Amino acid sequence: MNKPISLTEFILDEEKRFPKAKGNFTLLLSQLEYAGKIIASHLRKAGLVDILGKTGEKNVYEEEVVKLDQLSNDILLQTLTSSQQVHAVASEELEDIHVVEKHNGEYLVFLDPLDGSSNVDVNLTIGTIFSIYHRSDSLLQPGNKQVASGYILYGTSVMFVYTSGKGVHGFTLDPSIGTFLLSHPDIRIPDEGDIYSLSEANSIGFDGPMTSYLQSMKQGRKQLKARYSGTMVADMHRVLLKGGIFLYPSDPVHYPEGKLRLLFEVNPLSFLIQHAGGKAVCRRGNPLEITPESLHQRSDIAIGSRKNVEEYESFLNG
Ligand code: AHG
Ligand code: MN
Ligand code: MN
């Protein structure tokens, strides 16, 4: 039997390719991995201890904060701010970027501590999304400057999926030894797929091109499958492995700018999908080329298999 490769071994091996690397990136990813394991251990007990339900507070988007949003945010923040690697951390749950004064860290980390909060109380898949940049003059940089991005998925099993620009790799937590082991090396998204993932509940607000696109998808080709869980990262993970498209369009009735957060959701997953051979677009073009104007800026998004996204684009551009 071949010895399985752990996430730590894998990252260390990647680092060897950069003779000048000092190990900071490896340590940063290890801290994210560690925080993910702690969050996962709390989630596994949800329902038995008092961590389900809402806190009664609202976040910057006027969304109700669930207790596990808060807990995940605190665990990640404590882990990262005590690390020597981080210059600043930003979270979907915090109004402002938290600059770590006492360390002269090299990296900026953007977090959606818990994606899919509405699925917490009903025991469905949720995740943590992360996005890493080098420290630079501006705290807000376009997504194509990301050094790495990825997510931890709390599903049937716990997975850590990431890219640092050299392929997308997936690791599954072996609970018996508490270690993430390489289970999905070099993930490539199929060039085309039959899954479409969006909230058609918003369709009353969709404009002409979007309505025609949806109509055309359902006509005259092999049977499509609709899959939408309310957790973007889980829906995206399915699209990554099986092929297809995930959309959260803007629409004037519900979300004129789109719903999803550019820095916390759209950019990390766009960067990752691009490195798996897929594509992401928004109405402004490539989301990764947008220079953010504010921390909590939203964007529309269509992301997934190259052919599916190009088909969507052909409607968008008339
Ligand atoms: P979060 O739980 O971090 O607030 O994100 C929820 C996001 C995304 O994960 C999901 O695809 C979408 O919001 C669901 O929105 P609708 O409830 O409008 O379908
Ligand atoms: Mn989210
Ligand atoms: Mn969230």
Side-chain angles (χ1 to χ4, degrees):
M1 186 190 97
N2 287 339
K3 181 189 152 313
I5 300 168
S6 72
L7 175 57
T8 311
E9 288 171 319
F10 190 88
I11 311 165
L12 281 169
D13 223 45
E14 275 203 318
E15 192 186 271
K16 281 189 200 139
R17 287 189 233 144
F18 302 91
K20 289 192 184 142
K22 298 187 293 286
N24 296 3
F25 181 69
T26 304
L27 284 167
L28 175 57
L29 278 193
S30 304
Q31 274 140 2
L32 284 166
E33 174 196 4
Y34 177 61
K37 283 186 208 166
I38 299 177
I39 295 170
S41 77
H42 284 286
L43 293 177
R44 291 292 171 255
K45 286 177 281 193
L48 298 174
V49 292
D50 183 27
I51 50 170
L52 292 180
K54 296 168 181 161
T55 63
E57 311 270 302
K58 288 194 172 169
N59 67 12
V60 279
Y61 309 94
E62 286 294 305
E63 295 164 347
E64 292 187 289
V65 176
V66 305
K67 289 181 191 168
L68 279 163
D69 277 326
Q70 188 74 59
L71 183 72
S72 310
N73 185 65
D74 293 350
I75 291 168
L76 283 156
L77 221 70
Q78 273 171 24
T79 311
L80 293 175
T81 52
S82 60
S83 100
Q84 315 262 325
Q85 280 69 49
V86 176
H87 169 60
V89 190
S91 160
E92 194 189 81
E93 300 302 330
L94 299 176
E95 197 161 344
D96 298 312
I97 298 186
H98 179 90
V99 177
V100 186
E101 303 286 357
K102 62 177 174 174
H103 304 305
N104 199 22
E106 201 177 311
Y107 294 102
L108 306 173
V109 184
F110 291 77
L111 298 164
D112 180 351
L114 211 57
D115 182 55
S117 309
S118 69
N119 284 327
V120 165
D121 288 2
V122 292
N123 205 3
L124 295 185
T125 298
I126 48 185
T128 296
I129 307 175
F130 59 87
S131 162
I132 303 172
Y133 295 79
H134 274 300
R135 180 179 181 168
S136 94
D137 294 342
S138 171
L139 292 175
L140 302 182
Q141 303 171 50
N144 54 20
K145 297 266 186 226
Q146 286 171 102
V147 174
S149 72
Y151 52 83
I152 303 153
L153 201 62
Y154 314 103
T156 319
S157 57
V158 182
M159 281 194 77
F160 189 106
V161 180
Y162 87 103
T163 182
S164 58
K166 294 171 293 300
V168 175
H169 310 287
F171 300 79
T172 302
L173 183 64
D174 180 339
S176 62
I177 54 170
T179 304
F180 281 102
L181 300 175
L182 182 63
S183 51
H184 297 65
D186 200 12
I187 302 170
R188 303 298 295 170
I189 184 170
D191 221 26
E192 189 171 16
D194 57 5
I195 289 165
Y196 78 106
S197 188
L198 88 163
S199 176
E200 291 204 67
N202 292 337
S203 60
I204 194 78
F206 292 168
D207 63 9
M210 184 64 206
T211 308
S212 318
Y213 164 69
L214 266 182
Q215 196 58 37
S216 99
M217 273 211 304
K218 294 171 193 166
Q219 284 167 347
R221 55 192 269 179
K222 69 176 177 177
Q223 183 66 51
L224 289 177
K225 292 182 202 307
R227 296 284 186 271
Y228 185 77
S229 73
T231 299
M232 180 199 194
V233 68
D235 291 328
M236 274 307 305
H237 185 69
R238 184 195 337 257
V239 166
L240 174 67
L241 297 185
K242 306 269 185 200
I245 188 165
F246 173 93
L247 305 113
Y248 210 115
S250 52
D251 81 78
V253 177
H254 306 92
Y255 296 104
E257 308 296 326
K259 175 180 181 183
L260 299 175
R261 281 58 61 139
L262 180 69
L263 287 156
F264 304 112
E265 295 164 325
V266 169
N267 277 349
L269 295 179
S270 298
F271 186 73
L272 187 131
I273 215 75
Q274 183 184 296
H275 285 286
K279 194 167 178 181
V281 295
C282 65
R283 288 189 182 246
R284 289 170 68 178
N286 180 349
L288 296 173
E289 287 170 8
I290 297 174
T291 301
E293 287 123 40
S294 66
L295 181 59
H296 294 285
Q297 176 171 344
R298 298 177 192 259
S299 174
D300 63 295
I301 184 67
I303 176 169
S305 295
R306 187 182 59 80
K307 284 190 183 157
N308 296 65
V309 174
E310 284 172 358
E311 180 187 6
Y312 165 78
E313 269 182 303
S314 70
F315 280 85
L316 205 62
N317 303 328

